[in-house]
Amino acid sequence: HIINMSGKGKGKGKSGRGSGKSVSSSSKAGLQFPVARVGRYLKKGGYASRVGVGAGVYLAAVLEYLCAEILELAGNAARDNKKSRIVPRHITLAVKNDEELNKLLGGVTIAS
């Protein structure tokens, strides 16, 4: 038997963690949007004196949902116009044809 005395090797030590790959807060939450960046912007923005950890996760999830919703509708609008690429006009059509998105983005101008 060969005994490894180097302190490195198989196993994760006493506590069962450490020396592993770091896992982002976005992947922990199962999101594509950057949770840590959104949380940092919330803290630096001066919106409140204290910002909880879950606030960044929640806001990132809401933003990701809104983007996915708009992109799906804009993709449908592009397909209806026989185009394979989404242009600002498709986003405008998608927002105007959806009642709730139209209410949310009523006073928004989408550049073209």
Side-chain angles (χ1 to χ4, degrees):
H1 289 70
I2 299 171
I3 300 170
N4 188 1
M5 303 280 280
S6 66
K8 297 174 187 153
K10 293 176 184 162
K12 297 234 180 176
K14 294 176 187 170
S15 63
R17 58 183 178 271
S19 76
K21 292 249 179 172
S22 60
V23 181
S24 70
S25 48
S26 295
S27 63
K28 280 181 189 172
L31 298 173
Q32 301 299 313
F33 267 52
V35 169
R37 187 181 301 173
V38 169
R40 186 174 72 242
Y41 289 161
L42 273 174
K43 287 177 184 163
K44 293 266 173 74
Y47 304 107
S49 57
R50 293 160 53 138
V51 177
V53 180
V57 178
Y58 199 101
L59 183 56
V62 169
L63 291 172
E64 184 176 314
Y65 168 75
L66 283 173
C67 280
E69 193 73 22
I70 291 172
L71 281 172
E72 181 174 350
L73 293 172
N76 294 342
R79 192 167 9 99
D80 291 346
N81 290 329
K82 299 187 175 86
K83 299 279 190 284
S84 60
R85 185 176 294 161
I86 295 173
V87 294
R89 174 75 181 151
H90 299 140
I91 298 173
T92 306
L93 287 170
V95 169
K96 296 295 179 212
N97 289 331
D98 189 88
E99 186 183 334
E100 292 176 334
L101 283 175
N102 192 25
K103 189 177 176 185
L104 179 67
L105 303 174
V108 173
T109 304
I110 297 173
S112 59

